[in-house]
Protein backbone atom coordinates (compact mmCIF):
# COMPACT_ATOMS: atom_id res chain seq x y z
CA UNK A 1 0.00 0.00 0.00
CA UNK A 2 1.51 3.40 -0.94
CA UNK A 3 2.31 5.88 1.80
CA UNK A 4 -0.13 8.66 2.63
CA UNK A 5 1.41 12.02 1.71
CA UNK A 6 0.24 14.90 3.89
CA UNK A 7 0.28 18.63 3.34
CA UNK A 8 0.66 21.19 6.13
CA UNK A 9 -2.20 21.01 8.62
CA UNK A 10 -3.40 17.57 7.52
CA UNK A 11 -3.40 14.49 9.71
CA UNK A 12 -3.61 10.73 9.32
CA UNK A 13 -4.31 7.89 11.71
CA UNK A 14 -1.25 5.89 12.67
CA UNK A 15 -3.42 3.35 14.51
CA UNK A 16 -5.66 2.78 11.47
CA UNK A 17 -2.81 2.60 8.94
CA UNK A 18 -0.57 0.42 11.11
CA UNK A 19 -3.16 -1.54 13.14
CA UNK A 20 -0.74 -4.10 14.56
CA UNK A 21 2.04 -1.63 15.34
CA UNK A 22 3.29 -1.38 18.86
CA UNK A 23 6.44 0.43 17.79
CA UNK A 24 6.82 2.96 15.00
CA UNK A 25 9.79 4.85 13.67
CA UNK A 26 9.81 8.51 12.68
CA UNK A 27 12.40 9.10 9.99
CA UNK A 28 13.83 12.51 9.07
CA UNK A 29 15.66 13.32 5.86
CA UNK A 30 17.02 16.47 4.26
CA UNK A 31 19.83 17.75 2.07
CA UNK A 32 22.14 20.64 2.93
CA UNK A 33 23.43 22.83 0.11
CA UNK A 34 27.18 23.17 0.57
CA UNK A 35 28.65 26.62 1.05
CA UNK A 36 32.02 28.17 1.83
CA UNK A 37 31.07 28.68 5.49
CA UNK A 38 30.36 26.11 8.19
CA UNK A 39 27.87 23.43 7.16
CA UNK A 40 24.42 23.58 8.68
CA UNK A 41 23.89 20.69 11.09
CA UNK A 42 20.21 19.77 11.47
CA UNK A 43 19.18 17.92 14.63
CA UNK A 44 15.87 16.14 15.29
CA UNK A 45 14.28 15.83 18.69
CA UNK A 46 11.03 14.56 20.17
CA UNK A 47 9.21 16.21 23.07
CA UNK A 48 6.68 14.14 25.04
CA UNK A 49 3.94 16.56 26.11
CA UNK A 50 1.12 16.43 28.62
CA UNK A 51 -2.46 17.61 28.29
CA UNK A 52 -1.28 21.25 28.51
CA UNK A 53 0.95 20.87 25.43
CA UNK A 54 4.13 21.36 27.48
CA UNK A 55 7.00 18.91 27.97
CA UNK A 56 6.17 16.51 30.80
CA UNK A 57 9.68 17.15 32.18
CA UNK A 58 13.02 18.18 30.67
CA UNK A 59 13.91 14.46 30.65
CA UNK A 60 11.06 13.92 28.17
CA UNK A 61 13.01 15.85 25.49
CA UNK A 62 14.78 13.18 23.43
CA UNK A 63 17.72 14.10 21.16
CA UNK A 64 21.38 13.14 20.61
CA UNK A 65 22.47 14.10 24.17
CA UNK A 66 19.44 12.52 25.88
CA UNK A 67 18.66 9.47 23.81
CA UNK A 68 15.87 7.88 25.84
CA UNK A 69 12.78 9.17 27.63
CA UNK A 70 12.40 8.14 31.32
CA UNK A 71 9.62 5.68 30.44
CA UNK A 72 11.77 4.27 27.58
CA UNK A 73 8.91 4.93 25.15
CA UNK A 74 10.81 7.39 22.93
CA UNK A 75 14.39 6.81 21.78
CA UNK A 76 16.81 8.62 19.51
CA UNK A 77 18.39 6.22 17.04
CA UNK A 78 22.01 7.09 16.29
CA UNK A 79 22.68 7.89 12.66
CA UNK A 80 24.42 5.43 10.46
CA UNK A 81 23.12 3.34 7.61
CA UNK A 82 19.45 4.10 8.04
CA UNK A 83 16.86 2.65 5.64
CA UNK A 84 14.95 4.68 3.10
CA UNK A 85 17.39 7.58 2.96
CA UNK A 86 16.66 8.81 6.49
CA UNK A 87 19.39 10.96 8.02
CA UNK A 88 18.08 10.46 11.58
CA UNK A 89 15.35 8.42 13.24
CA UNK A 90 13.34 8.44 16.46
CA UNK A 91 11.63 5.28 17.63
CA UNK A 92 8.33 5.40 19.55
CA UNK A 93 6.99 2.44 21.52
CA UNK A 94 3.27 3.27 21.56
CA UNK A 95 2.52 0.69 24.27
CA UNK A 96 5.04 2.21 26.70
CA UNK A 97 3.82 5.79 26.45
CA UNK A 98 2.29 6.66 29.82
CA UNK A 99 -1.28 7.93 29.98
CA UNK A 100 -0.16 11.46 30.97
CA UNK A 101 1.62 11.89 27.59
CA UNK A 102 -0.91 13.20 25.09
CA UNK A 103 1.38 14.12 22.21
CA UNK A 104 4.95 13.91 20.96
CA UNK A 105 6.19 17.00 19.13
CA UNK A 106 8.70 16.20 16.37
CA UNK A 107 11.22 19.01 16.03
CA UNK A 108 14.09 19.81 13.68
CA UNK A 109 16.57 22.53 14.64
CA UNK A 110 19.87 23.92 13.45
CA UNK A 111 22.54 23.02 16.00
CA UNK A 112 23.56 26.37 17.53
CA UNK A 113 26.83 24.90 18.87
CA UNK A 114 28.12 24.35 15.36
CA UNK A 115 26.96 27.43 13.52
CA UNK A 116 25.85 30.79 14.86
CA UNK A 117 23.12 31.79 14.25
CA UNK A 118 22.36 29.24 11.53
CA UNK A 119 19.09 28.81 9.64
CA UNK A 120 17.35 26.37 7.33
CA UNK A 121 18.20 28.57 4.31
CA UNK A 122 20.57 25.92 2.97
CA UNK A 123 18.30 22.93 3.75
CA UNK A 124 16.33 21.30 0.93
CA UNK A 125 14.01 18.31 0.53
CA UNK A 126 13.09 18.03 4.21
CA UNK A 127 10.79 15.05 4.83
CA UNK A 128 9.30 13.46 7.94
CA UNK A 129 8.12 9.85 7.60
CA UNK A 130 6.24 7.43 9.83
CA UNK A 131 7.44 3.87 9.34
CA UNK A 132 6.04 0.58 10.57
CA UNK A 133 8.16 -1.98 12.43
CA UNK A 134 9.31 -3.53 9.15
CA UNK A 135 10.57 -0.13 7.95
CA UNK A 136 7.81 0.43 5.38
CA UNK A 137 6.77 4.03 4.92
CA UNK A 138 3.17 4.61 6.02
CA UNK A 139 2.89 8.41 6.28
CA UNK A 140 5.04 11.08 4.63
CA UNK A 141 5.16 14.83 5.15
CA UNK A 142 7.42 16.89 2.87
CA UNK A 143 8.00 20.04 4.97
CA UNK A 144 7.38 23.05 2.76
CA UNK A 145 10.47 25.14 1.99
CA UNK A 146 8.51 28.29 2.90
CA UNK A 147 8.17 26.96 6.47
CA UNK A 148 11.94 26.58 6.82
CA UNK A 149 14.02 29.37 5.24
CA UNK A 150 15.24 31.95 7.75
CA UNK A 151 13.98 29.97 10.75
CA UNK A 152 16.37 27.89 12.84
CA UNK A 153 13.86 25.42 14.35
CA UNK A 154 10.62 23.89 13.14
CA UNK A 155 7.90 21.76 14.69
CA UNK A 156 7.72 19.41 11.72
CA UNK A 157 4.94 17.21 13.00
CA UNK A 158 3.23 15.69 15.98
CA UNK A 159 2.07 12.28 17.11
CA UNK A 160 -1.02 12.74 19.25
CA UNK A 161 -3.71 10.74 21.02
CA UNK A 162 -7.34 11.04 19.99
CA UNK A 163 -9.36 8.75 22.27
CA UNK A 164 -7.84 5.27 21.74
CA UNK A 165 -6.07 6.22 18.54
CA UNK A 166 -2.64 7.66 17.65
CA UNK A 167 -2.50 10.15 14.80
CA UNK A 168 0.20 12.12 12.99
CA UNK A 169 -0.31 15.81 12.19
CA UNK A 170 1.81 17.72 9.65
CA UNK A 171 2.62 21.07 11.30
CA UNK A 172 5.58 22.94 9.74
CA UNK A 173 5.69 25.75 12.34
CA UNK A 174 9.00 27.61 12.25
CA UNK A 175 10.81 29.42 15.07
CA UNK A 176 13.27 32.22 14.29
CA UNK A 177 14.86 31.92 17.75
CA UNK A 178 15.79 28.29 17.25
CA UNK A 179 15.93 25.71 20.00
CA UNK A 180 15.63 28.45 22.67
CA UNK A 181 12.21 29.40 21.26
CA UNK A 182 11.23 25.72 21.15
CA UNK A 183 12.21 25.31 24.81
CA UNK A 184 10.17 28.35 25.79
CA UNK A 185 7.17 27.21 23.72
CA UNK A 186 7.20 23.71 25.26
CA UNK A 187 8.04 24.83 28.80
CA UNK A 188 11.46 23.33 29.51
CA UNK A 189 14.93 24.74 30.20
CA UNK A 190 17.95 24.05 28.02
Amino acid sequence: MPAITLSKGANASVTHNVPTATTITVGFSWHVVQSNGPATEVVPCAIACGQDGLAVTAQHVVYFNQMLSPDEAVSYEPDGSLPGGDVEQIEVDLQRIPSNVMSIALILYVNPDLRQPGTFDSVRDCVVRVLDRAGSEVIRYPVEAADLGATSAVVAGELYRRQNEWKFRAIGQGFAGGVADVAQNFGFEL
Side-chain angles (χ1 to χ4, degrees):
M1 180 166 84
I4 297 166
T5 299
L6 300 177
S7 57
K8 183 176 179 175
N11 64 52
S13 173
V14 173
T15 305
H16 173 74
N17 289 293
V18 194
T20 59
T22 57
T23 302
I24 60 167
T25 300
V26 179
F28 302 89
S29 63
W30 59 83
H31 294 99
V32 175
V33 176
Q34 298 302 317
S35 69
N36 291 332
T40 298
E41 180 185 10
V42 178
V43 179
C45 80
I47 304 170
C49 301
Q51 184 73 34
D52 58 4
L54 302 176
V56 175
T57 68
Q59 288 73 43
H60 286 83
V61 179
V62 175
Y63 65 111
F64 68 88
N65 270 349
Q66 189 163 277
M67 297 178 70
L68 190 62
S69 63
D71 45 44
E72 300 182 357
V74 182
S75 62
Y76 180 91
E77 300 301 309
D79 57 346
S81 56
L82 299 175
D86 291 336
V87 178
E88 303 279 356
Q89 291 182 335
I90 290 177
E91 193 167 284
V92 180
D93 185 335
L94 299 172
Q95 291 185 320
R96 289 187 122 166
I97 297 174
S99 60
N100 66 326
V101 173
M102 301 308 292
S103 64
I104 300 170
L106 303 165
I107 314 290
L108 290 169
Y109 67 91
V110 174
N111 188 348
D113 292 337
L114 183 66
R115 179 180 176 157
Q116 295 284 351
T119 67
F120 281 102
D121 280 332
S122 63
V123 176
R124 305 286 184 273
D125 305 318
C126 184
V127 176
V128 180
R129 308 181 317 137
V130 175
L131 311 169
D132 65 16
R133 190 68 176 154
S136 298
E137 182 178 284
V138 178
I139 300 168
R140 159 183 283 267
Y141 170 47
V143 182
E144 298 172 23
D147 294 325
L148 297 173
T151 65
S152 52
V154 64
V155 179
E158 169 187 55
L159 290 167
Y160 66 98
R161 286 186 210 256
R162 181 69 55 156
Q163 297 168 344
N164 293 329
E165 186 176 9
W166 280 98
K167 293 186 166 195
F168 175 84
R169 178 180 296 126
I171 296 178
Q173 176 188 356
F175 291 91
V179 73
D181 279 1
V182 169
Q184 182 177 5
N185 187 70
F186 288 96
F188 65 92
E189 292 188 24
L190 296 175

